[in-house]
Amino acid sequence: MKKVLSGNEAIARGAWEAGVTYCAAYPGTPSSEILENAATYKEMETDWAPNEKVAVESALGACLTGARTMASMKHVGVNVAADPLMTASYTGVIGGFVLVTADDPQLHSSQNEQDNRNYAKFAKVPMLEPSDSQEAKDFVKLGFEISEKFDTPVMIRTVTRISHSKGPVELEERIKPPVELKLRKEPTKFVMLPSNARPRHLIVEERSKKLKEFAETLDINRMEINDTKVGIITSGISYQYAKEAFPEYSFLKLGMVWPMPEKLIGEFINKVDKVYVVEELDPFIEENVRLMGYKIDHGKDIIPICGELSPTIVKKAITGETDQKVVEPIIEDPIPPRPPNMCPGCPHRGVFTVLKKLKVFVNGDIGCYTLGALPPLESLDTTVCMGSSVSFSHGMSRALGDEGKGKFVSVIGDSTFLHSGVTPLMDMVYNKSYATVMILDNRITAMTGAQDHPGTGYTAKGEPTHAIDYAELSKALGVNEIYTINPYDIKETEEIIKKALNSDQVTVIIARGPCAMLKREMAGRTKKPLVIDSDLCTGCKQCISINCPAINWDTTMAGEYTTKDGKTKKRKGIARIVPDLCNGCGLCYQLCKFEAISEPEEGKLGFI
Amino acid sequence: MDAGYDVKKSEVHGMAQRGGSVTSHVRFGEKVASPIIPEGEADILFCSEKLEVLRWLAYCNETTKLIINNIEIYPPLVNLGEMEYPKNIEKAINSKFKNNYFIEATKLAKEAGDARAANVVMLGVTSKFLPIDEEIWMRNILARLPKKIHELNKIAFKKGREVV
């Protein structure tokens, strides 16, 4: 039976068909749906791990019992998991272990566009790269076979256009994995003392040679010989773009991008007159083929190294022609961009409204609240990686000494805090910092589409579990000054932030308000939409300045108007609240100096 | 796939819920390679908001059918009063493209019972231009919706088919 599946759905299905019993992941675009879908199969235990390192370690540990296991993450997540990965290559596996890396060329939703094919070479593990959903499923299953056959972790690399593209997939039955489930004591293989790790390194090098031989005859490395004037070496999504642009040319499609089949590549190069390497991001295939001593006519000299490719880009790069069919844009007015924005009723909006007012330096982190960097809130000054907001403030307090007091704060989400914020907070207390850390607790991993974590009280399968108490955790780390605030209450938020900034010790502020998109927490809590009285609105734009999608600027009401006390005044327009979008959080109500906005229901602010 | 074609769909999502611009490419035929449409080769450009049509014209040629929900949803900079919502979009589009359908989809969806069915009205319009049976469209749309809104969406889809 065939079913249309996304690449991520196909990977989860592939794991299920391969007999996998345990999957672990930390959410991150474009990888998140892999574990979400895996969780729908009752035969697989599925964990949201607090971070990618824990996910890889748990999956690796699990595979030592003989179980087939999988860890999935976005490209930058592999950086976090690189520590166990590099040594997992030495220990090898018992049951098959597959690590899925979902790369994000074009940075659709990421802080960089690193090319994780480099990790396969670096860690000396095989990597398979599917080019559509069918291959995504097939390669996962093949990955488990290779993992067990060669005693190695296997990496599967997808990109956004594989993970989030859909295509038909032939469904098959689940198999029973071949390895017996039990604990095995094999210290020379699993205790990586130097004396054990040295011989394991020799085994890794031997394995690499065998894998290279294996790559020569592996059928997912295939030649498609057509017109031999031009031959294209490619893999993954780039294969589809090149095939679309040049169906008439010959292709060498590498399903396994590491290690590479040297003889097969030589054979292909000898068959064609001109050789092109078409690949997204780094010249990974190109450099390694050149190292083999083969001549390539064109690679990264014409194919862009930054951003995604497309059939159009590949065609243009190789032929130099632009498509004549495109009709030139016709509007001279600039087209207003439509960037993502915090949702109506988002608990972060109040925090950034206050931070902007206080003009402090804000070390930000990875999550929805990174959107606080965009206009008009523009109140976020750094964002690098998970947890960096906390360490940055610590570093700044150490560098600036007393000069920095009261001048900067860290802003970090609940999921990100548990991922990588706890250790730098520990560092702050231990090394006597004075910075303020704001934990924006919206009770979910929001940016990636609402995944649970150890602070939400639910598992990946939706079962109730323990929820971490951030105040108790901070206390245990040695933080003495801890505040919990309602981020919809501007006055309270401002007072507490000011108080914390004036402190001489580490302060933690927990801003608690559920993600406005989170049905579980918001059910029964949304309030009546607020209304702006067009007779009272002066068009001062105070409410507009918080960039709530539910508030529109209406210029049709511009001009003279009569105030309540009978005076005639002028205004440039008025603000209007879209009732379909407003959930009555009451943030704008607090900003209106002219009492033009109706009072929130029950007089309470937010949804606490 | 139900109609016997190979099919691929690619989208960049995650930003839709936060009001960001989102695009999907849908391709079908005997065999589909790239999930992304080459520039200038889209047969249909489906826009669920009016000004969005301007962002994706590079994928269109003179004969591309432009199906546009004639509704204005202001982006943040327009709300802030820092940029203007482009004027005369319909006129400008009509001057360059021949097959344009500005559809009052949100209005029609409201008539059907819920403004949120606007995209189903738009699918009704689109279905008129594609070689796929109405029955296959209906079956697949309803399979993705809760039972209680089936009737409403059937009406919305019909309204779309009748408007062109």
Side-chain angles (χ1 to χ4, degrees), chain A residues 518-585:
Chain A
L518 190 56
K519 287 187 185 136
R520 182 174 70 208
E521 296 269 351
M522 291 295 284
R525 284 185 176 171
T526 52
K527 297 174 178 175
K528 262 197 334 221
L530 306 189
V531 183
I532 295 180
D533 187 334
S534 58
D535 292 337
L536 293 177
C537 179
T538 65
C540 76
K541 285 194 178 174
Q542 267 298 310
C543 60
I544 294 269
S545 71
I546 57 171
N547 202 19
C548 174
I551 309 177
N552 279 357
W553 180 240
D554 178 1
T555 50
T556 61
M557 301 286 279
E560 285 187 356
Y561 72 108
T562 311
T563 62
K564 257 200 176 152
D565 46 12
K567 285 181 194 157
T568 302
K569 281 193 173 173
K570 263 190 165 177
R571 60 186 175 191
K572 288 181 176 165
I574 65 161
R576 281 195 189 279
I577 292 174
V578 185
D580 288 346
L581 294 176
C582 175
N583 46 25
C585 80

Coordinates of all heavy atoms in Angstrom, one line a residue, chain A residues 518-585:
Chain A
L518 N -1.2 26.9 23.0 CA -1.3 25.6 23.7 C -2.7 25.3 24.2 O -3.1 25.8 25.2 CB -0.3 25.7 24.8 CG 0.1 24.3 25.5 CD1 0.6 23.3 24.5 CD2 1.1 24.6 26.6
K519 N -3.4 24.5 23.4 CA -4.8 24.3 23.7 C -5.0 23.7 25.1 O -5.9 24.0 25.8 CB -5.4 23.3 22.7 CG -5.6 24.0 21.3 CD -6.3 23.1 20.3 CE -6.4 23.8 19.0 NZ -6.1 22.9 17.9
R520 N -4.0 22.8 25.5 CA -4.2 22.1 26.8 C -4.2 23.1 27.9 O -5.0 22.9 28.9 CB -2.9 21.2 26.9 CG -2.9 20.3 28.2 CD -1.7 19.4 28.1 NE -0.4 20.1 28.2 CZ 0.7 19.6 27.7 NH1 0.7 18.5 27.0 NH2 1.8 20.3 27.8
E521 N -3.4 24.1 27.9 CA -3.3 25.1 29.0 C -4.4 26.2 28.8 O -4.8 26.8 29.7 CB -1.9 25.7 29.0 CG -0.8 24.7 29.4 CD -0.6 24.6 30.9 OE1 -1.1 25.5 31.6 OE2 0.2 23.7 31.3
M522 N -4.7 26.5 27.5 CA -5.5 27.7 27.2 C -7.0 27.4 27.3 O -7.9 28.3 27.4 CB -5.2 28.3 25.9 CG -3.8 28.9 25.8 SD -3.7 30.4 26.9 CE -4.6 31.6 25.9
A523 N -7.4 26.1 27.3 CA -8.8 25.7 27.3 C -9.5 26.3 28.4 O -9.1 26.2 29.6 CB -8.9 24.2 27.3
G524 N -10.6 27.0 28.1 CA -11.4 27.7 29.2 C -10.8 29.0 29.7 O -11.3 29.6 30.6
R525 N -9.6 29.3 29.2 CA -8.9 30.5 29.8 C -9.0 31.7 28.9 O -8.7 32.8 29.3 CB -7.4 30.2 30.1 CG -7.2 29.4 31.3 CD -5.7 29.2 31.6 NE -5.5 28.5 32.8 CZ -4.3 28.1 33.2 NH1 -3.3 28.3 32.4 NH2 -4.1 27.4 34.3
T526 N -9.2 31.5 27.6 CA -9.3 32.7 26.7 C -10.4 33.6 27.1 O -11.5 33.1 27.6 CB -9.4 32.3 25.2 OG1 -10.5 31.4 25.1 CG2 -8.1 31.7 24.7
K527 N -10.2 34.9 26.8 CA -11.2 35.8 27.3 C -11.9 36.5 26.1 O -11.4 36.4 25.0 CB -10.5 36.8 28.2 CG -10.0 36.2 29.4 CD -9.2 37.2 30.2 CE -8.7 36.5 31.5 NZ -7.9 37.4 32.3
K528 N -12.9 37.3 26.4 CA -13.6 38.0 25.4 C -12.6 39.0 24.7 O -11.8 39.7 25.3 CB -14.7 38.8 26.0 CG -16.1 38.2 25.9 CD -17.2 39.1 26.1 CE -17.0 40.3 27.0 NZ -18.1 40.6 27.9
P529 N -12.7 39.2 23.4 CA -11.9 40.1 22.7 C -12.1 41.5 23.2 O -13.2 41.9 23.6 CB -12.3 40.0 21.2 CG -13.1 38.8 21.1 CD -13.6 38.4 22.4
L530 N -11.0 42.3 23.3 CA -11.2 43.7 23.7 C -11.6 44.6 22.5 O -11.5 44.2 21.4 CB -9.8 44.2 24.2 CG -9.2 43.4 25.4 CD1 -8.0 44.2 25.9 CD2 -10.2 43.1 26.5
V531 N -12.2 45.7 22.8 CA -12.7 46.6 21.8 C -12.1 48.0 22.0 O -11.9 48.5 23.1 CB -14.2 46.7 21.9 CG1 -14.8 47.6 20.8 CG2 -14.9 45.3 21.9
I532 N -11.7 48.6 20.9 CA -11.2 50.0 20.9 C -12.4 51.0 20.6 O -13.0 50.8 19.5 CB -10.0 50.2 20.0 CG1 -8.9 49.4 20.5 CG2 -9.6 51.7 19.9 CD1 -7.6 49.4 19.6
D533 N -12.6 51.9 21.5 CA -13.7 52.9 21.3 C -13.1 54.0 20.3 O -12.2 54.7 20.6 CB -14.0 53.5 22.6 CG -15.2 54.5 22.5 OD1 -15.5 55.0 21.4 OD2 -15.9 54.6 23.6
S534 N -13.7 54.0 19.1 CA -13.2 54.9 18.1 C -13.4 56.4 18.4 O -12.8 57.3 17.8 CB -13.8 54.6 16.7 OG -15.2 54.7 16.8
D535 N -14.3 56.7 19.4 CA -14.5 58.1 19.8 C -13.4 58.5 20.8 O -13.1 59.7 20.9 CB -15.8 58.2 20.5 CG -17.0 58.0 19.6 OD1 -16.8 58.2 18.4 OD2 -18.1 57.7 20.0
L536 N -12.7 57.5 21.4 CA -11.7 57.9 22.4 C -10.3 57.7 21.9 O -9.3 58.3 22.4 CB -11.9 57.0 23.6 CG -13.1 57.2 24.5 CD1 -13.2 56.2 25.6 CD2 -13.2 58.6 25.0
C537 N -10.1 56.9 20.8 CA -8.7 56.6 20.3 C -8.2 57.9 19.7 O -8.8 58.5 18.8 CB -8.8 55.5 19.3 SG -7.2 55.1 18.6
T538 N -7.0 58.3 20.1 CA -6.4 59.5 19.6 C -5.4 59.2 18.5 O -4.8 60.1 17.8 CB -5.6 60.2 20.7 OG1 -4.5 59.4 21.1 CG2 -6.5 60.6 21.9
G539 N -5.2 57.9 18.2 CA -4.2 57.5 17.2 C -2.8 57.6 17.7 O -1.9 57.8 16.9
C540 N -2.5 57.5 19.0 CA -1.2 57.7 19.5 C -0.2 56.5 19.2 O 1.0 56.6 19.4 CB -1.2 57.9 21.0 SG -1.5 56.4 22.0
K541 N -0.8 55.4 18.9 CA -0.1 54.2 18.5 C 0.7 53.5 19.6 O 1.5 52.6 19.3 CB 0.9 54.5 17.3 CG 0.3 54.7 16.0 CD 1.3 54.7 14.9 CE 0.7 54.8 13.5 NZ 1.7 54.9 12.5
Q542 N 0.4 53.8 20.8 CA 1.0 53.1 22.0 C 0.7 51.6 21.9 O 1.6 50.8 22.1 CB 0.5 53.6 23.3 CG 1.3 54.7 23.9 CD 2.8 54.3 24.2 OE1 2.9 53.3 24.8 NE2 3.7 55.0 23.7
C543 N -0.6 51.3 21.6 CA -0.9 49.9 21.5 C -0.4 49.2 20.3 O -0.1 48.0 20.3 CB -2.5 49.7 21.6 SG -3.3 50.6 20.2
I544 N -0.2 50.0 19.2 CA 0.3 49.4 18.0 C 1.8 49.0 18.2 O 2.3 48.1 17.6 CB 0.2 50.5 16.8 CG1 -1.3 50.8 16.5 CG2 1.0 50.1 15.6 CD1 -1.8 49.9 15.4
S545 N 2.5 49.8 19.1 CA 3.9 49.6 19.2 C 4.3 48.3 19.8 O 5.5 47.9 19.7 CB 4.5 50.7 20.1 OG 4.1 50.5 21.5
I546 N 3.3 47.5 20.3 CA 3.7 46.2 20.8 C 3.6 45.1 19.8 O 3.8 43.9 20.0 CB 2.9 45.8 22.1 CG1 1.4 45.8 21.8 CG2 3.2 46.7 23.3 CD1 0.5 45.2 22.9
N547 N 3.2 45.5 18.5 CA 3.1 44.6 17.4 C 2.3 43.4 17.6 O 2.7 42.2 17.3 CB 4.6 44.2 17.1 CG 4.7 43.7 15.6 OD1 3.9 44.0 14.8 ND2 5.8 43.0 15.3
C548 N 1.1 43.6 18.1 CA 0.2 42.4 18.3 C -0.6 42.2 17.0 O -1.1 43.2 16.4 CB -0.8 42.7 19.4 SG -2.1 41.4 19.6
P549 N -0.6 41.0 16.4 CA -1.3 40.8 15.2 C -2.7 41.1 15.2 O -3.4 41.3 14.2 CB -1.0 39.3 14.9 CG 0.1 38.9 15.8 CD 0.1 39.8 17.0
A550 N -3.3 41.2 16.4 CA -4.7 41.4 16.5 C -5.1 42.9 16.5 O -6.2 43.3 16.4 CB -5.3 40.8 17.8
I551 N -4.0 43.8 16.5 CA -4.3 45.2 16.5 C -3.9 45.8 15.1 O -2.7 45.7 14.7 CB -3.6 46.0 17.6 CG1 -3.8 45.3 18.9 CG2 -4.0 47.4 17.6 CD1 -3.1 45.9 20.1
N552 N -4.8 46.4 14.4 CA -4.6 47.0 13.1 C -4.6 48.5 13.1 O -5.3 49.1 14.0 CB -5.7 46.5 12.1 CG -5.4 45.1 11.6 OD1 -4.3 44.5 11.9 ND2 -6.3 44.6 10.7
W553 N -3.9 49.1 12.2 CA -4.0 50.6 12.1 C -4.9 50.9 11.0 O -4.8 50.4 9.8 CB -2.5 51.0 11.8 CG -2.4 52.5 11.6 CD1 -1.9 53.2 10.5 CD2 -2.6 53.5 12.6 NE1 -1.9 54.5 10.7 CE2 -2.3 54.8 12.0 CE3 -3.1 53.5 13.9 CZ2 -2.4 56.0 12.6 CZ3 -3.2 54.8 14.6 CH2 -2.8 56.0 13.9
D554 N -5.9 51.8 11.3 CA -6.9 52.1 10.3 C -6.9 53.6 10.0 O -7.2 54.4 10.8 CB -8.3 51.7 10.9 CG -9.5 52.1 10.0 OD1 -9.2 52.6 8.9 OD2 -10.6 51.8 10.5
T555 N -6.5 53.9 8.7 CA -6.3 55.3 8.4 C -7.6 55.9 7.8 O -7.7 57.1 7.6 CB -5.2 55.5 7.3 OG1 -5.5 54.6 6.2 CG2 -3.8 55.3 7.9
T556 N -8.6 55.1 7.7 CA -9.9 55.6 7.1 C -10.6 56.6 8.1 O -11.4 57.3 7.8 CB -10.9 54.5 6.8 OG1 -11.2 53.8 8.0 CG2 -10.3 53.6 5.7
M557 N -10.1 56.5 9.4 CA -10.7 57.3 10.4 C -9.8 58.5 10.7 O -9.9 59.2 11.7 CB -10.9 56.5 11.8 CG -11.8 55.4 11.6 SD -13.6 55.8 11.5 CE -13.9 56.1 13.2
A558 N -8.9 58.8 9.8 CA -8.0 59.9 10.0 C -8.7 61.2 9.8 O -9.7 61.3 9.1 CB -6.8 59.8 9.0
G559 N -8.2 62.3 10.5 CA -8.8 63.6 10.3 C -9.4 64.1 11.6 O -9.0 63.7 12.7
E560 N -10.3 65.1 11.5 CA -10.9 65.7 12.7 C -11.9 64.8 13.3 O -12.6 64.1 12.7 CB -11.5 67.0 12.3 CG -10.5 68.1 12.0 CD -11.1 69.5 11.8 OE1 -12.3 69.6 11.8 OE2 -10.3 70.4 11.6
Y561 N -11.9 64.9 14.6 CA -12.9 64.1 15.4 C -13.3 64.9 16.7 O -12.5 65.8 17.1 CB -12.5 62.7 15.7 CG -11.4 62.6 16.8 CD1 -11.7 62.1 18.0 CD2 -10.1 63.1 16.5 CE1 -10.7 62.0 19.0 CE2 -9.1 63.0 17.5 CZ -9.4 62.5 18.7 OH -8.5 62.4 19.7
T562 N -14.4 64.6 17.2 CA -14.9 65.3 18.4 C -14.6 64.4 19.7 O -15.0 63.2 19.7 CB -16.4 65.6 18.4 OG1 -16.6 66.2 17.1 CG2 -16.8 66.6 19.4
T563 N -13.9 64.9 20.6 CA -13.6 64.2 21.9 C -14.9 64.2 22.8 O -15.8 64.9 22.5 CB -12.4 64.8 22.7 OG1 -12.8 66.1 23.0 CG2 -11.2 64.9 21.9
K564 N -14.8 63.4 23.8 CA -16.0 63.3 24.7 C -16.4 64.6 25.3 O -17.6 64.8 25.5 CB -15.7 62.2 25.8 CG -16.3 60.9 25.5 CD -16.5 60.1 26.7 CE -17.3 58.8 26.3 NZ -16.9 57.7 27.1
D565 N -15.4 65.4 25.6 CA -15.7 66.7 26.2 C -16.0 67.8 25.2 O -16.0 69.0 25.4 CB -14.7 67.2 27.2 CG -13.3 67.0 26.7 OD1 -13.1 66.8 25.5 OD2 -12.3 67.1 27.5
G566 N -16.3 67.3 24.0 CA -16.8 68.2 22.9 C -15.8 69.0 22.1 O -16.1 69.9 21.3
K567 N -14.4 68.7 22.4 CA -13.4 69.5 21.7 C -13.2 68.8 20.3 O -13.4 67.6 20.1 CB -12.1 69.4 22.5 CG -12.1 70.4 23.7 CD -10.7 70.3 24.4 CE -10.8 70.9 25.7 NZ -9.8 70.4 26.6
T568 N -12.7 69.6 19.4 CA -12.4 69.1 18.1 C -10.9 68.9 18.0 O -10.1 69.8 18.3 CB -12.9 70.0 16.9 OG1 -14.3 70.2 17.1 CG2 -12.6 69.4 15.6
K569 N -10.5 67.7 17.6 CA -9.0 67.4 17.5 C -8.7 66.6 16.3 O -9.7 66.1 15.6 CB -8.6 66.5 18.7 CG -8.4 67.3 20.0 CD -7.7 66.5 21.0 CE -7.3 67.3 22.3 NZ -6.8 66.5 23.3
K570 N -7.4 66.5 15.9 CA -7.0 65.8 14.7 C -6.3 64.5 15.1 O -5.6 64.4 16.1 CB -6.1 66.7 13.9 CG -6.8 67.5 12.8 CD -5.8 68.1 11.9 CE -6.4 68.6 10.6 NZ -5.4 69.3 9.8
R571 N -6.4 63.5 14.2 CA -5.7 62.3 14.4 C -5.3 61.7 13.0 O -6.0 61.9 12.0 CB -6.4 61.3 15.3 CG -7.8 60.9 14.7 CD -8.6 60.0 15.6 NE -9.9 59.7 15.1 CZ -10.9 59.1 15.8 NH1 -10.7 58.8 17.0 NH2 -12.0 58.9 15.2
K572 N -4.3 60.8 13.0 CA -3.8 60.3 11.7 C -4.5 59.0 11.4 O -4.3 58.5 10.3 CB -2.3 60.1 11.8 CG -1.5 61.3 11.8 CD 0.0 61.1 11.8 CE 0.8 62.4 11.7 NZ 2.2 62.2 12.1
G573 N -5.2 58.4 12.4 CA -5.9 57.2 12.2 C -6.2 56.6 13.5 O -6.0 57.3 14.5
I574 N -6.8 55.4 13.6 CA -7.1 54.8 14.9 C -6.7 53.4 14.9 O -6.5 52.8 13.8 CB -8.6 54.9 15.3 CG1 -9.4 54.1 14.3 CG2 -9.1 56.3 15.4 CD1 -10.8 53.7 14.9
A575 N -6.5 52.8 16.1 CA -6.2 51.4 16.2 C -7.5 50.6 16.3 O -8.5 51.1 16.8 CB -5.3 51.2 17.4
R576 N -7.5 49.4 15.7 CA -8.6 48.6 15.8 C -8.2 47.2 16.2 O -7.2 46.7 15.8 CB -9.3 48.5 14.4 CG -10.1 49.7 14.0 CD -11.0 49.3 12.9 NE -11.7 50.5 12.3 CZ -12.8 51.0 12.9 NH1 -13.3 50.5 13.9 NH2 -13.4 52.1 12.3
I577 N -9.1 46.5 17.0 CA -8.7 45.2 17.4 C -9.6 44.2 16.6 O -10.8 44.4 16.4 CB -9.0 45.0 18.9 CG1 -8.0 45.8 19.7 CG2 -8.9 43.5 19.3 CD1 -8.2 45.8 21.2
V578 N -8.9 43.2 16.0 CA -9.6 42.2 15.1 C -10.2 41.2 16.1 O -9.4 40.4 16.7 CB -8.7 41.5 14.2 CG1 -9.4 40.6 13.2 CG2 -7.9 42.6 13.4
P579 N -11.5 41.1 16.2 CA -12.1 40.2 17.2 C -11.8 38.7 17.0 O -11.6 38.0 18.0 CB -13.6 40.5 17.1 CG -13.8 41.3 15.9 CD -12.6 41.9 15.5
D580 N -11.6 38.3 15.7 CA -11.3 36.9 15.5 C -9.9 36.5 16.0 O -9.6 35.3 16.2 CB -11.3 36.6 14.0 CG -12.7 36.6 13.4 OD1 -13.6 36.6 14.2 OD2 -12.8 36.7 12.2
L581 N -9.0 37.5 16.2 CA -7.6 37.2 16.6 C -7.4 37.4 18.1 O -6.6 36.8 18.7 CB -6.6 38.0 15.8 CG -6.6 37.7 14.3 CD1 -5.6 38.7 13.6 CD2 -6.1 36.3 14.0
C582 N -8.1 38.4 18.7 CA -7.8 38.8 20.1 C -8.4 37.8 21.0 O -9.5 37.3 20.9 CB -8.5 40.2 20.3 SG -8.4 40.7 22.0
N583 N -7.5 37.5 22.0 CA -8.0 36.6 23.1 C -8.1 37.2 24.5 O -8.1 36.6 25.5 CB -7.2 35.3 23.1 CG -5.7 35.6 23.1 OD1 -5.3 36.7 23.5 ND2 -4.9 34.6 22.6
G584 N -8.0 38.6 24.4 CA -8.3 39.3 25.6 C -7.2 39.3 26.7 O -7.5 39.4 27.9
C585 N -6.0 39.2 26.3 CA -4.9 39.1 27.3 C -4.7 40.4 28.1 O -4.3 40.4 29.2 CB -3.6 38.8 26.6 SG -2.7 40.2 25.9

